Every structure is written in structure tokens, then in C-alpha cells.
Amino acid sequence: MNKEKCVSLAQAREKIDGVDQAIIELLAQRQFYVDQAVRFKNSVQDVQSPERVDQVIANVRAKAKEQGVNEDAVEKMYRDLIQHFIQRELKELRP
């Protein structure tokens, strides 16, 4: 990841906007793969998969810690994201 010191507020905002664009692109990519995964799931339990949720949360908390990012904030965002994708998958599973 390329980080550089900013020399102005405008430059910092420009960099933030670029990061936001990258995050949106990555979320779209994640959604694409979630949509692929649901094809291999046969039940509500397969979709909700609490053990997988726990695994993802543990993984992102560890990565947040490595990067010096607040682990609780990352967990909250991921729990919201996962819940959104679970609801999306359930709609696909039960049209």
C-alpha cells in the first residue's frame, strides 16, 4: 500500500476519495464472489454459517491489528457487511 504525507487538506481529501473508490470496487468484487458462493449452498444454515462468520471476524480483527486499525470498528463494519450479504443470499436461496 502506497502511503504518502499530504501537503494540504485538498490533497488529503483527494487521497481519501481515492481510497473510498478502491473500497467500493473491492466491495463490488466481494459481492460478486458472495453471489458465486450462494450457488453452492443448499440451506439457510449453509448461508448463515455462524462458524464461517466467526472465522471471518477473527481474520479481519487480526488483519486490523496488524495494520494498527481499531479492531472493534472493523468488526462492527464487517458484521454489518456480513449481515447484508446473508440477507442477499437468503433472497437468492428462497426466491
Side-chain angles (χ1 to χ4, degrees):
M1 179 175 290
N2 186 8
K3 298 179 203 172
E4 62 184 76
K5 294 276 185 182
C6 296
V7 296
S8 68
L9 178 58
Q11 184 185 23
R13 287 179 174 168
E14 181 182 319
K15 295 295 185 183
I16 290 167
D17 290 345
V19 170
D20 288 344
Q21 177 65 35
I23 290 169
I24 297 301
E25 290 171 7
L26 289 170
L27 287 171
Q29 186 176 356
R30 191 180 201 286
Q31 179 174 292
F32 174 81
Y33 288 113
V34 167
D35 291 349
Q36 297 298 302
V38 76
R39 297 181 308 134
F40 305 103
K41 298 177 182 181
N42 299 311
S43 69
V44 170
Q45 181 63 24
D46 288 344
V47 170
Q48 293 175 335
S49 187
E51 57 283 342
R52 174 63 177 151
V53 172
D54 290 344
Q55 179 185 39
V56 171
I57 295 300
N59 188 35
V60 297
R61 283 186 67 90
K63 291 184 183 315
K65 185 174 184 177
E66 288 172 13
Q67 294 293 321
V69 177
N70 184 291
E71 298 161 64
D72 294 335
V74 169
E75 178 175 344
K76 183 181 183 317
M77 287 185 275
Y78 263 82
R79 286 197 183 277
D80 288 345
L81 183 67
I82 290 166
Q83 190 57 37
H84 165 77
F85 284 129
I86 285 172
Q87 293 307 312
R88 183 180 174 91
E89 286 182 295
L90 288 173
K91 286 179 186 172
E92 188 69 27
L93 190 65
R94 299 180 297 200

